[in-house]
Amino acid sequence: MRRIVMLGGCLAMAAALSACGGDKKEENANANFSVKLNWLGSYKTGILDESAAEIPAYDAASQRLFVVNAEAGELDVLDMSDPAVPVKIGSINVSAIAAGAEVNSVAVQNGLVAIAVEADPKTDNGYVALYQAADLSLVNSIQVGAQPDMITFTPNGETVMTANEGEPSDDYSVDPEGSISLVDIRDLENLSVATADFAAFNAQADSLKASGVRIYGPNASVAQDLEPEYIAVSANSKTAWVTLQENNALAKVDVASATVTDILPLGEIDRSVEGFGIDASDDDEVINIRTWPGVVGQYQPDAIHAYQLAGKTLLVTANEGDARAWGEDNDLYWGEEADDEVDPPVLCEPDASQGFVEEFRVKHLVHASGFDRRCGDDLPPQLAALGEGALLDPTVFGYCGAVAGDPGDCREDDVLGRLNITWTVGYKTGGNGDPVMYTDAGVEDAAGTHIMYDKLYSYGGRSFSIWDEDGNQIFDSGDAIEQFLASDDCKLGTDRAIPCADYFNSGHDEGDAMDSRSDAKGPEPEGLTIGRIQGDTFLFLGLERMGGILVYNITDPREPEFEDYLNSRNTWDVDPEAGNLDGYGDLGPEGLVFISGEDSPTGEPLLVVGHEVSGSTAVYEVQISKE
């Protein structure tokens, strides 16, 4: 395998974590011990790439694990009395709650299992269903908002909260409002629900956009455009924070009044700054982590968790990134490919009302021939409505050859050409928000036909961040994760023998696919959980695409300490296929749950991870070593 490493930021993991705010164990230790993961075993459904193991939740009293099996539309119930050999002992099916309903998420507290239930169609209101962990009996259920995607208990056990994502239908004909439901469970026989919605922000669209909140869906109000993803709750159960992933923001919620009190923009990542670079191409056959002037990242976190420090709440996010893509399989949206060689000519006539796709490669966006060449293929009609083509600002992108009217080498595959960005923002606008127009030669002209980009917005931070209660960033890991995966210190497999760099930024459903995700969101930090061990706070962070779990001591939020990385995928050289998963290990970590030593069947802390691609639920021992 050809492997050339060109590291433009920190030169090794120790240097990367130190220079980017990381490993300073010797000079500023958080603890006199370290932790390391040891793979114990897994429960395997044997179902490939059908989300047969997503979100796990654990009940200590019954020693049962509850795992979302989206493929079956139910919860798998696993006996965890021997963590090395989890055994399926039952399931919970929610078909009695609503016809065609699906399980999206699960949480467990004090012997009560709470399930987020998505309706059919997903744009209808969903449900919260409550079951007893000990005997799997249904306790009660209640209707909540559209598409409850994540569910959690408040720490005081009085409320169950759901993040109701409210995604539109595939053709964008129905777009429900996003919301957060708060179910009062103090009287299980008489549940009540309150809704924290975003209606009060509908009149603030302009100010929200100006602050950096992405409001961009077609013909959507603010309430329709905001899509709650994941919830963290303060230790006193008074405040919750909800990731608005596509919107690159957090919602702050007052629990008692069920009110969204603020929407907090998370800002941009300047990819021209050392320590915040990316590998931008999947087609150059090398690891090339470097800075890119004019390119910015959007944090767009998925999972979020809260922890306490000196009486204050801190928030940790996994900055995965996500693009809106609705109607991408609808030929009516794209239009039929034009053909002027036939009589009468076939015209490309896309229908913008049939969907909305914002992701586009740089090489397809900026081209001397304009947009028409891609009509009927992958040209979003909403982009075509902005102009006949797009240019790069030569004052920003001159470093890769852009001149007036010509992007030069910037659109080459081994430069920025393969990078996926959003076309919805980054082009020059006037005071009224409309695009400034240019001739195809790059001259500003009100009668021009081209728009001009001076920023290219990519997806995801490829990092984790720590924030304060008001959304102010305390720490971001920058490019340290990608730098580590490229380093000689990183090893893959349960025996830690395979060089990570040989399969750098691989996809979770691919084999021998080094660099294949660099054009998108890199390793894609998606899921995380937090655990307390001997008074210190540890972060367990799952990398969706590359796979594996990173462990950090985050007791000092300004100087997180790297502890370990374990990737339990053992086979990397061929594509995984249904029927040959036994030798692969675990692919595509989704949800994580930490089990303290006090609650663990073994008396030692454990980590459980649901892997959506391999359909396996893996159990790891968290080993503690004195230093």
Side-chain angles (χ1 to χ4, degrees):
M1 174 177 294
R2 184 183 181 201
R3 177 164 71 88
I4 303 172
V5 182
M6 297 185 289
L7 304 180
C10 311
L11 296 180
M13 186 55 186
L17 286 171
S18 177
C20 304
D23 189 8
K24 296 190 176 180
K25 189 178 290 288
E26 293 184 359
E27 59 187 76
N28 186 21
N30 286 337
N32 60 358
F33 65 93
S34 61
V35 301
K36 184 177 181 179
L37 295 178
N38 176 46
W39 186 87
L40 291 180
S42 67
Y43 167 73
K44 301 176 182 178
T45 64
I47 300 171
L48 175 67
D49 208 11
E50 296 291 344
S51 298
E54 289 192 325
I55 311 298
Y58 177 70
D59 176 58
S62 64
Q63 295 185 352
R64 288 178 170 181
L65 193 68
F66 299 85
V67 183
V68 173
N69 185 332
E71 189 273 338
E74 58 189 25
L75 279 184
D76 288 340
V77 183
L78 309 182
D79 177 11
M80 274 279 288
S81 57
D82 181 357
V85 189
V87 177
K88 183 178 178 180
I89 57 173
S91 61
I92 295 177
N93 188 287
V94 296
S95 60
I97 304 299
E102 296 182 6
V103 175
N104 275 351
S105 184
V106 62
V108 176
Q109 186 168 305
N110 299 327
L112 196 62
V113 181
I115 304 175
V117 180
E118 180 179 306
D120 182 19
K122 68 176 182 179
T123 51
D124 286 353
N125 285 339
Y127 300 84
V128 164
L130 302 173
Y131 293 80
Q132 293 290 353
D135 61 10
L136 312 185
S137 61
L138 176 63
V139 176
N140 208 343
S141 65
I142 192 169
Q143 192 174 75
V144 292
Q147 199 185 11
D149 193 49
M150 185 269 180
I151 193 166
T152 191
F153 289 85
T154 55
N156 62 13
E158 296 181 356
T159 306
V160 168
M161 300 181 65
T162 60
N164 308 316
E165 192 164 9
E167 291 179 340
S169 58
D170 287 349
D171 63 0
Y172 243 112
S173 63
V174 180
D175 188 3
E177 295 184 354
S179 64
I180 301 98
S181 292
L182 299 93
V183 180
D184 188 334
I185 61 171
R186 287 174 291 183
D187 182 353
L188 291 175
E189 293 185 0
N190 298 283
L191 301 177
S192 61
V193 62
T195 302
D197 62 29
F198 299 97
F201 294 91
N202 281 337
Q204 302 178 36
D206 290 342
S207 60
L208 287 171
K209 290 178 183 178
S211 73
V213 179
R214 298 190 71 211
I215 308 292
Y216 63 102
N219 304 313
S221 66
V222 170
Q224 288 174 306
D225 204 70
L226 298 178
E227 297 184 357
E229 187 83 24
Y230 212 100
I231 304 171
V233 187
S234 61
N236 62 12
S237 300
K238 292 183 177 180
T239 307
W241 294 263
V242 184
T243 55
L244 307 172
Q245 185 173 28
E246 289 82 357
N247 312 101
N248 197 33
L250 301 179
K252 193 172 183 178
V253 180
D254 178 72
V255 174
S257 64
T259 303
V260 178
T261 59
D262 205 353
I263 298 175
L264 308 172
L266 297 181
E268 303 171 357
I269 308 160
D270 187 347
R271 296 297 185 194
S272 71
V273 175
E274 195 72 17
F276 293 88
I278 57 172
D279 187 320
S281 176
D282 64 336
D283 199 46
D284 55 2
E285 299 183 355
V286 299
I287 300 174
N288 183 15
I289 304 169
R290 53 161 290 188
T291 56
W292 300 96
V295 177
V296 295
Q298 305 165 92
Y299 292 100
Q300 296 183 307
D302 188 327
I304 182 172
H305 275 259
Y307 71 109
Q308 296 295 113
L309 182 67
K312 299 292 186 180
T313 299
L314 300 179
L315 307 168
V316 188
T317 59
N319 303 323
E320 178 197 22
D322 200 12
R324 284 189 173 142
W326 305 109
E328 57 186 337
D329 296 323
N330 184 352
D331 290 340
L332 294 176
Y333 175 68
W334 302 110
E336 187 175 1
E337 189 171 356
D339 185 354
D340 58 5
E341 300 296 325
V342 298
D343 187 23
V346 174
L347 302 177
C348 177
E349 296 180 341
D351 185 349
S353 71
Q354 294 290 320
F356 183 81
V357 177
E358 64 162 315
E359 191 173 64
F360 214 46
R361 291 196 192 277
V362 172
K363 64 184 293 184
H364 297 162
L365 180 71
V366 291
H367 190 286
S369 297
F371 293 149
D372 281 351
R373 74 193 194 286
R374 306 206 67 85
C375 190
D377 182 3
D378 60 357
L379 176 66
Q382 293 92 347
L383 170 59
L386 293 177
E388 294 180 4
L391 307 170
L392 290 179
D393 186 340
T395 65
V396 177
F397 294 98
Y399 71 94
C400 55
V403 296
D406 189 343
D409 291 338
C410 299
R411 64 178 303 276
E412 293 299 317
D413 287 351
D414 59 351
V415 187
L416 288 172
R418 298 285 297 173
L419 183 64
N420 286 311
I421 62 165
T422 176
W423 56 262
T424 63
V425 67
Y427 53 82
K428 294 185 177 186
T429 60
N432 60 0
D434 291 337
V436 175
M437 303 307 295
Y438 293 79
T439 67
D440 58 7
V443 178
E444 183 176 344
D445 188 335
T449 58
H450 285 52
I451 57 178
M452 180 177 286
Y453 285 80
D454 56 6
K455 281 187 181 181
L456 299 174
Y457 283 78
S458 60
Y459 296 100
R462 307 190 185 193
S463 65
F464 74 92
S465 298
I466 301 177
W467 317 81
D468 71 12
E469 298 176 359
D470 297 314
N472 300 305
Q473 190 178 92
I474 297 171
F475 170 85
D476 183 75
S477 63
D479 63 12
I481 293 175
E482 278 194 297
Q483 297 282 7
F484 174 58
L485 296 175
S487 75
D488 292 336
D489 294 332
C490 183
K491 305 297 181 183
L492 303 168
T494 51
D495 60 358
R496 304 172 187 258
I498 305 168
C500 295
D502 286 352
Y503 301 97
F504 172 81
N505 277 355
S506 290
H508 51 29
D509 56 355
E510 301 171 304
D512 199 12
M514 182 265 195
D515 214 22
S516 69
R517 299 300 303 173
S518 293
D519 60 320
K521 294 170 282 185
E524 287 190 38
E526 179 184 21
L528 62 84
T529 193
I530 288 174
R532 292 276 290 175
I533 302 174
Q534 297 184 10
D536 273 31
T537 303
F538 290 85
L539 166 67
F540 302 88
L541 178 69
L543 303 181
E544 181 185 10
R545 297 290 177 164
M546 184 71 182
I549 309 301
L550 289 158
V551 186
Y552 299 85
N553 187 324
I554 57 171
T555 306
D556 181 350
R558 297 188 184 278
E559 300 287 349
E561 297 175 357
F562 173 77
E563 296 280 337
D564 195 23
Y565 173 69
L566 181 58
N567 190 322
S568 53
R569 177 178 179 177
N570 293 309
T571 300
W572 290 82
D573 54 351
V574 294
D575 289 345
E577 297 178 0
N580 72 344
L581 291 175
D582 284 345
Y584 269 85
D586 306 299
L587 312 174
E590 178 83 3
L592 300 84
V593 61
F594 174 80
I595 302 174
S596 68
E598 292 78 8
D599 291 336
S600 167
T602 66
E604 300 296 331
L606 302 173
L607 179 72
V608 179
V609 182
H611 292 83
E612 61 175 341
V613 175
S614 56
S616 58
T617 302
V619 183
Y620 303 86
E621 182 182 26
V622 183
Q623 297 177 326
I624 303 170
S625 300
K626 295 293 183 180
E627 296 186 344

